[in-house]
């Protein structure tokens, strides 16, 4: 492969994989950390990394990109106590403010059933 082709492929790959990396969650001045989730048909996509979250107050901003009615349910990971639950119309964005303890949390769509997303490594 000549140098020009190799350089072009490297630039394309870097652009593709670089944009696939998740951002670090932002914590506002009021101490609330914001996580953006897009809900599609059968899965969620997070804009920010969900690894290494700490106990505290969070806002989950959920956008329905499924093109049909979906929902959002978030629970305490250990007790399964529901912290919030609501439906979202196509294209709608809603915010869920919850306090996450060291128990962790899990979330899913109860309408367009998705598997549970477990966040149990909270410190």
């Amino acid at each position: 492969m000549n140098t020009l082709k190799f350089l072009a492929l490297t630039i394309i790959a870097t652009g593709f994989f670089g944009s696939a990396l998740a951002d670090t969650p932002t914590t506002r001045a009021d101490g609330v950390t914001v996580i953006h989730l897009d809900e599609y048909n059968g899965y969620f996509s997070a804009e920010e990394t969900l690894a290494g979250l700490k106990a505290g107050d969070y806002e989950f901003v959920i956008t329905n990109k499924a093109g049909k009615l979906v929902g959002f349910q978030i629970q305490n990971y250990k007790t399964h106590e529901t912290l919030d639950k609501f439906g979202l119309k196509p294209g709608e964005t809603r915010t869920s403010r919850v306090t996450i303890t060291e128990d962790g949390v899990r979330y899913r769509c109860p309408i367009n059933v998705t598997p549970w997303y477990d966040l149990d490594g909270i410190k």
Side-chain angles (χ1 to χ4, degrees):
M1 177 183 310
N2 71 32
T3 305
L4 188 55
K5 284 184 184 178
F6 177 77
L7 181 60
L9 289 174
T10 302
I11 291 170
I12 291 169
T14 302
F16 175 75
F17 291 114
S19 66
L21 298 175
D23 291 331
T24 301
T26 303
T27 301
R28 299 188 313 235
D30 63 359
V32 177
T33 302
V34 180
I35 304 287
H36 295 87
L37 300 174
D38 293 332
E39 185 171 350
Y40 295 92
N41 287 313
Y43 70 95
F44 286 90
S45 173
E47 289 182 26
E48 296 86 6
T49 183
L50 300 177
L53 297 182
K54 295 179 169 65
D57 294 325
Y58 286 82
E59 281 187 359
F60 287 84
V61 180
I62 302 93
T63 301
N64 178 353
K65 294 192 175 183
K68 62 183 178 183
L69 180 68
V70 297
F72 180 74
Q73 178 181 13
I74 188 164
Q75 294 182 340
N76 176 290
Y77 179 76
K78 285 187 181 175
T79 67
H80 296 176
E81 171 193 356
T82 295
L83 304 175
D84 202 359
K85 183 178 179 180
F86 51 81
L88 292 110
K89 296 176 184 173
E92 183 179 14
T93 298
R94 288 193 57 185
T95 300
S96 175
R97 184 169 178 167
V98 297
T99 299
I100 297 177
T101 67
E102 290 183 357
D103 286 353
V105 293
R106 64 187 200 156
Y107 63 89
R108 71 172 183 154
C109 175
I111 297 171
N112 179 28
V113 182
T114 63
W116 284 103
Y117 288 77
D118 298 332
L119 305 176
D120 58 344
I122 308 299
K123 306 226 186 274

